[in-house]
């Protein structure tokens, strides 16, 4: 049976409409890429809660901060490359420092804007956002996770960075799945190796675990949708109960999920780790799966690295 | 405005200047030049125009003040203390460890600060967001925002202006503290402003020009700007003097971010005290 594939930006676009109808204080602050970030329905159905500040990201962040001081819950909607780097200092100064309830909701995370090339592929964003005090950083693994986590974000008081995919990715959850911010989801139990992934790479980890089982290696699979605050308890459990960990992410291996997990493991003082992710290099215009493959972000490589750790 | 109120306002501005000099002298660091140039606008806002409740600093319907040029916060701290937001003694803690009076304003630490600022160019966009929230909620509160002339080098200022115009924010008053000096030199030398008034006008603002250190002239244009409910955001380009009121600081670039020593402090206080106008009985 063919797996259903949906981009997580679509999950965001649908959830934000439902949220906006329930709560008039929820606003969308668009930066002239609303159509691409899936806020079209919100714009049409909730015009009084919809703002478009033009191609002016810095201003968008500041306007959102001002709105938040007056009790609004603005979602600044843009691409991950711009929402994390173009406006990094505005987010730091006007949103994180005053601890304002602004959500930066970004499509085009990782290499998912594949054909757009390196300028639009965000491989540094989660790491950058992770270093900002008061910030929460999330990447849902599929369409249903996106819907659920956007709803959780709206109910959460404080700055948050949410990252979605441009391209369609396989659906791994169903509509009844529940998520808790800062709490990893255990998708498979195993005693030999732990695969900790987030976003669009969770499905690769699941598939790899299936292949590993055929080889007699039992893999635990965690969806670490929130990389900050990191579920340290879940990581430590992997260290103590398994001791062999592989992280998988559509993000630079520097400062993202792999680094966050490495920090916990290093302080624990035991356990082996292999990080799979973007190899600290810019991408290019190419098919999404090819870009992942160029960086070893494949089911085959996860299996190979797991086998290597078992030796 | 009658003469009595004008005199009282001028004296508030003088008191504010004295407190600014005292604070920066005690802190041994801070930004006196711009704090003194913006002092009259600050006094006008807090003692004539702004509808605030010192006992309830986060009152939702209050008028907002955004100090986009956050480094001149001693002027706002003095105004807040004088309005009763916190005891006057707190002013002595400026820039000290644990103080609510940070080197640049923090809304989570200091009562009466409506948004944290300090990184130039960002405050106006926040003020636009506040004015927009008032419009969305159909409320009457207004937003007063002080920006520096040098700060207008920042592109985000002009992005924010576009949004203010688009959403017809006639509840927003921007005061440009045109003292013509920025950190490294004169505005002409560092980045020629051409015409700030014409720029704001081109960005859809209703623009007023006045002597920003002349309380009467300032209040005259402020009255007009606030009365005009015409869908246009307002900008007052106030010609000011950096270091206004202290002879050796006036128009001297190096007083941007330097604290006076004991001797200089004594002279400044003496000169400022002489500015008090005796109120009619």
């Amino acid at each position: 049976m063919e797996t259903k594939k949906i981009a997580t930006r679509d999950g965001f676009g649908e959830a934000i409409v439902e949220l906006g109808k329930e709560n008039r204080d929820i606003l969308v602050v668009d930066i002239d890429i609303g159509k691409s970030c899936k806020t079209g329905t919100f714009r049409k159905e909730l015009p009084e809660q919809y703002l478009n500040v033009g191609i002016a990201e810095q201003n968008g962040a500041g306007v959102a901060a001002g709105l938040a001081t007056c009790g609004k819950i603005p979602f600044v909607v843009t691409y991950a490359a711009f929402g994390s780097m173009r406006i990094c200092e505005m987010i730091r100064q006007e949103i994180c420092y005053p601890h304002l309830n602004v959500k930066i909701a970004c499509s085009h995370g990782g290499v998912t804007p594949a054909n757009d090339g390196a300028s639009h592929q965000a491989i540094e964003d989660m790491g950058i956002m992770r270093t900002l005090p008061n910030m929460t950083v999330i990447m849902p693994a599929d369409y249903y996770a996106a819907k659920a986590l956007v709803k959780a974000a709206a109910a959460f008081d404080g700055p948050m960075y949410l990252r979605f995919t441009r391209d369609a990715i396989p659906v791994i959850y169903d509509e009844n799945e529940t998520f808790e911010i800062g709490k990893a989801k255990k998708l498979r139990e195993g005693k030999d190796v732990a695969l900790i992934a987030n976003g669009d790479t969770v499905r690769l980890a699941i598939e790899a675990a299936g292949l590993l089982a055929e080889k007699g290696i039992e893999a635990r699979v965690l969806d670490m949708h929130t990389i900050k605050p990191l579920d340290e308890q879940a990581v430590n459990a992997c260290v103590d109960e398994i001791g062999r960990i592989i992280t998988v992410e559509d993000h630079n291996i520097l400062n993202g999920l792999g680094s966050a997990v490495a920090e916990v493991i290093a302080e624990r003082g035991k356990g082996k780790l292999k990080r799979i992710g973007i190899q600290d290099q810019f991408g290019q215009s190419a098919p999404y799966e090819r870009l992942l493959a160029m960086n070893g972000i494949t089911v085959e490589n996860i299996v190979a690295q797991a086998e290597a750790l078992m030796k | 405005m009658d003469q009595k109120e004008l005199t009282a306002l001028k004296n508030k501005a003088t008191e504010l200047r004295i407190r600014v000099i005292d604070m920066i002298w005690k802190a041994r660091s801070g930004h006196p030049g711009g704090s003194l140039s913006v002092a009259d606008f600050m006094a006008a806002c807090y003692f004539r125009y702004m509808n605030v409740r010192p006992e309830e600093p986060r009152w939702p319907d209050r008028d907002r003040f955004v100090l986009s040029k956050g480094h001149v916060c001693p002027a706002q701290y003095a105004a807040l203390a004088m309005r009763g937001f916190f005891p006057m003694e707190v002013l002595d803690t400026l820039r000290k460890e644990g103080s609510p009076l940070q080197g640049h304003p923090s809304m989570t630490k200091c009562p009466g600060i409506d948004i944290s600022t300090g990184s130039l160019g960002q405050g106006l966009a926040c003020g636009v967001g506040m004015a927009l929230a008032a419009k969305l909620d159909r409320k009457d509160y207004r937003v007063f925002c002080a920006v520096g002339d040098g700060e207008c080098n920042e592109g985000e200022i002009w992005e924010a202006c576009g949004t203010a115009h688009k959403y017809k924010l006639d509840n927003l008053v921007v005061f440009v503290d045109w003292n013509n000096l920025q950190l490294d030199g004169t505005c002409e030398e560092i980045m020629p402003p051409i015409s700030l008034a014409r720029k704001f006008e081109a960005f859809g603002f209703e623009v007023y020009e006045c002597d920003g250190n002349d309380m009467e002239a300032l209040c005259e244009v402020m009255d007009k700007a606030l009365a005009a409910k015409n869908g246009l955001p307002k900008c007052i380009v106030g010609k000011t003097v950096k270091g206004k009121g202290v002879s050796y600081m006036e128009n001297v670039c190096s007083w941007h971010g330097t604290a006076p020593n004991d001797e200089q402090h004594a002279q400044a206080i003496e000169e400022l005290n002489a500015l008090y106008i005796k109120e009619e009985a």
Side-chain angles (χ1 to χ4, degrees):
Chain A
M1 193 184 84
E2 184 69 7
T3 317
K4 190 164 64 163
K5 284 186 171 186
I6 313 176
T8 60
R9 61 176 167 160
D10 289 304
F12 164 71
E14 289 170 31
I16 197 71
V17 174
E18 291 174 34
L19 288 163
K21 286 179 179 171
E22 287 165 17
N23 184 351
R24 300 264 304 152
D25 284 330
I26 289 184
L27 310 176
V28 163
V29 178
D30 252 337
I31 311 200
D32 195 40
I33 37 180
K35 283 179 190 162
S36 182
C37 297
K38 302 296 173 184
T39 53
T41 309
F42 191 100
R43 178 181 181 179
K44 192 167 151 231
E45 295 188 12
L46 298 162
E48 298 210 343
Q49 290 159 254
Y50 177 82
L51 305 161
N52 198 323
V53 300
I55 309 167
E57 291 84 359
Q58 306 177 92
N59 172 49
V63 167
L67 288 163
T69 67
C70 300
K72 300 296 179 189
I73 307 170
F75 281 70
V76 178
V77 181
T78 179
Y79 293 164
F82 316 140
S84 62
M85 289 175 271
R86 181 65 171 259
I87 54 171
C88 180
E89 200 232 338
M90 288 75 202
I91 293 173
R92 172 186 185 267
Q93 169 68 26
E94 301 298 354
I95 296 169
C96 288
Y97 177 44
H99 202 281
L100 291 173
N101 196 13
V102 176
K103 318 300 174 192
I104 311 294
C106 295
S107 177
H108 291 49
V111 296
T112 69
N115 297 330
D116 288 332
S119 61
H120 284 55
Q121 294 162 2
I123 58 170
E124 313 89 341
D125 57 327
M126 295 181 79
I128 290 169
M129 289 294 115
R130 188 168 79 89
T131 64
L132 298 176
N134 295 336
M135 185 57 112
T136 294
V137 183
I138 290 178
M139 184 175 194
D142 81 345
Y143 163 79
Y144 289 115
K147 287 190 85 166
L149 283 163
V150 169
K151 288 177 185 173
F156 174 93
D157 184 15
M160 188 179 287
Y161 180 80
L162 293 144
R163 186 204 216 210
F164 308 108
T165 67
R166 181 204 176 278
D167 286 12
I169 56 170
V171 170
I172 57 175
Y173 294 114
D174 66 43
E175 59 190 331
N176 300 315
E177 199 74 44
T178 57
F179 295 83
E180 191 183 332
I181 292 166
K183 192 103 182 87
K185 282 195 81 76
K186 194 185 287 182
L187 301 180
R188 186 180 178 121
E189 188 50 293
K191 61 179 179 12
D192 298 320
V193 64
L195 308 178
I196 305 179
N198 66 6
D200 47 318
T201 61
V202 172
R203 47 116 188 169
L204 300 177
I206 294 170
E207 205 177 315
L211 291 178
L212 285 166
E214 289 170 16
K215 295 167 184 274
I217 298 170
E218 293 302 326
R220 176 183 294 179
V221 178
L222 295 185
D223 171 3
M224 195 65 81
H225 48 78
T226 308
I227 74 159
K228 185 187 176 182
L230 188 74
D231 187 346
E232 295 191 12
Q233 208 180 350
V235 176
N236 280 326
C238 292
V239 175
D240 296 341
E241 295 161 20
I242 302 170
R244 287 172 290 273
I245 297 168
I246 296 173
T247 56
V248 194
E249 60 192 313
D250 181 0
H251 186 280
N252 200 344
I253 53 163
L254 302 180
N255 213 12
L257 172 66
S259 296
V261 169
E263 289 157 15
V264 175
I265 293 176
E267 291 194 347
R268 198 73 170 177
K270 56 180 182 175
K272 286 183 180 173
L273 171 70
K274 177 66 191 175
R275 292 169 298 149
I276 294 176
I278 305 293
Q279 298 298 300
D280 196 24
Q281 61 183 344
F282 288 109
Q284 57 173 294
S285 291
Y288 163 64
E289 297 286 351
R290 277 290 305 139
L291 289 161
L292 292 181
M294 286 172 199
N295 290 280
I297 308 171
T298 60
V299 172
E300 295 71 30
N301 191 36
I302 298 170
V303 170
Q305 297 300 335
E307 287 179 308
L309 279 183
M310 290 301 291
K311 278 176 188 158
Chain B
M1 181 169 51
D2 63 25
Q3 208 55 38
K4 198 176 162 195
E5 195 196 338
L6 179 62
T7 300
L9 263 183
K10 285 179 174 176
N11 285 342
K12 286 288 185 194
T14 298
E15 182 187 343
L16 194 150
R17 286 190 163 92
I18 289 170
R19 295 193 182 281
V20 160
I21 292 297
D22 265 342
M23 290 166 81
I24 296 174
W25 168 63
K26 282 177 184 155
R28 306 218 170 275
S29 77
H31 297 82
S35 299
L36 294 175
S37 65
V38 82
D40 300 287
F41 175 68
M42 192 69 73
C45 285
Y46 278 96
F47 298 99
R48 178 170 164 84
Y49 296 106
M50 282 176 64
N51 188 19
V52 290
R53 291 180 180 171
E55 71 288 356
E56 193 188 350
R58 295 283 171 95
W59 174 44
D61 293 343
R62 72 192 183 279
D63 288 336
R64 268 75 170 169
F65 193 95
V66 176
L67 190 60
S68 199
K69 48 181 302 184
H71 56 285
V72 304
C73 52
Q76 191 178 8
Y77 294 154
L80 289 170
M82 287 160 66
R83 267 305 299 260
F85 280 83
F86 44 80
M88 215 58 95
E89 305 85 75
V90 176
L91 295 180
D92 296 341
T93 68
L94 173 70
R95 290 180 168 241
K96 295 205 165 72
E97 187 177 335
S99 171
L101 310 188
Q102 294 289 296
H104 294 81
S106 165
M107 67 178 287
T108 56
K109 293 186 165 71
C110 181
I113 297 295
D114 293 315
I115 184 76
S116 305
T117 54
S119 176
L120 292 176
Q122 300 186 20
L124 181 53
C126 301
V128 166
M130 294 172 191
L132 196 43
K135 293 287 183 192
L136 291 173
D137 289 338
R138 296 179 175 81
K139 288 190 171 187
D140 294 329
Y141 63 80
R142 301 160 304 177
V143 180
F144 298 84
C145 180
V147 304
D149 46 10
E151 186 183 11
C152 291
N153 296 170
E154 292 276 10
E156 192 186 346
I157 290 286
W158 305 104
E159 294 182 3
C161 287
T163 306
H165 170 74
K166 175 180 174 181
Y167 290 103
K168 302 182 167 49
L169 303 181
D170 55 12
N171 54 347
L172 173 71
V173 177
V174 179
F175 177 79
V176 182
D177 186 17
W178 184 26
N179 60 34
N180 206 34
L181 284 177
Q182 41 195 113
L183 196 148
D184 275 341
T186 65
C187 292
E188 275 72 24
E189 198 183 353
I190 304 307
M191 185 49 64
I194 308 171
S195 166
L196 288 169
R198 273 165 46 213
K199 280 185 180 168
F200 274 93
E201 199 171 63
F203 275 84
F205 278 63
E206 186 160 285
V207 178
Y208 302 83
E209 293 177 83
C210 71
D211 178 343
N213 292 135
D214 177 338
M215 188 62 84
E216 195 170 9
L218 182 60
C219 291
E220 200 177 304
V221 295
M222 291 274 282
D223 286 350
K224 276 189 207 160
L226 290 168
K229 296 282 174 203
N230 53 5
L232 296 174
K234 308 300 185 297
C235 173
I236 296 168
V237 178
K239 186 75 200 73
T240 58
V241 171
K242 202 158 179 170
K244 178 73 181 178
V246 178
S247 60
Y248 61 86
M249 288 187 181
E250 288 192 358
N251 290 315
V252 177
C253 197
S254 58
W255 285 105
H256 171 82
T258 314
N261 63 26
D262 294 354
E263 197 183 324
Q264 289 162 334
H265 167 256
Q267 186 191 332
I269 297 300
E270 192 184 327
E271 288 182 17
L272 289 168
N273 268 322
L275 297 177
Y276 275 120
I277 305 163
K278 198 162 179 265
E279 291 179 57
E280 299 295 323

